[in-house]
Amino acid sequence: MDVELLYFEGCPSWRVMDERLGVLGAEFEFEHLRTLVETSEAAELVGFLGSPTVRIDGEDPFAPPGAAVGLSCRMYRTADGLTGCPALAELRSAFQRLAPCPAPAAAPKSHAPAP
């Protein structure tokens, strides 16, 4: 699973997202990549919807329809209202939805002699 945190330094919420991704990384066995977005041009290039943004296998599970790309702080709608980062439970739910399912276990082979 590829997990990326996109952010800019002036955002007060990216470190919270970074910490939460660290907790989930231990649960889901991933390490996340941090991508610093420093200019409006870079934001356009990577489709940055604001800081912090998390992408799981290239998908932003919190992207609202029609969201504008740009170098800005991002707000998330949560059970507690608008905040700068999804709650840990909301992030966990996104990972559970988007994480690849494990391959089914192979049926055991029979070693009985053929009749």
Side-chain angles (χ1 to χ4, degrees):
M1 172 179 354
D2 292 321
V3 180
E4 181 180 22
L5 169 60
L6 296 98
Y7 69 99
F8 69 86
E9 278 299 330
C11 170
S13 300
W14 82 265
R15 292 184 195 278
V16 174
M17 180 78 89
D18 190 52
E19 288 175 18
R20 291 178 182 171
L21 290 176
V23 169
L24 293 172
E27 289 179 30
F28 289 89
E29 299 179 350
F30 68 81
E31 290 187 24
H32 62 282
L33 173 70
R34 292 172 196 90
T35 301
L36 177 62
V37 180
E38 297 183 278
T39 65
S40 296
E41 293 78 18
E44 284 289 329
L45 186 65
V46 299
F48 186 56
L49 299 181
S51 181
T53 289
V54 63
R55 291 186 183 156
I56 305 167
D57 289 333
E59 183 177 337
D60 180 344
F62 300 100
V69 171
L71 198 60
S72 62
C73 288
R74 185 167 175 178
M75 297 302 290
Y76 292 84
R77 292 192 186 283
T78 70
D80 296 325
L82 284 178
T83 185
C85 183
L88 187 59
E90 293 163 322
L91 283 164
R92 184 177 288 113
S93 177
F95 276 91
Q96 289 169 336
R97 275 193 329 268
L98 298 175
C101 297
K109 294 182 181 180
S110 172
H111 294 291

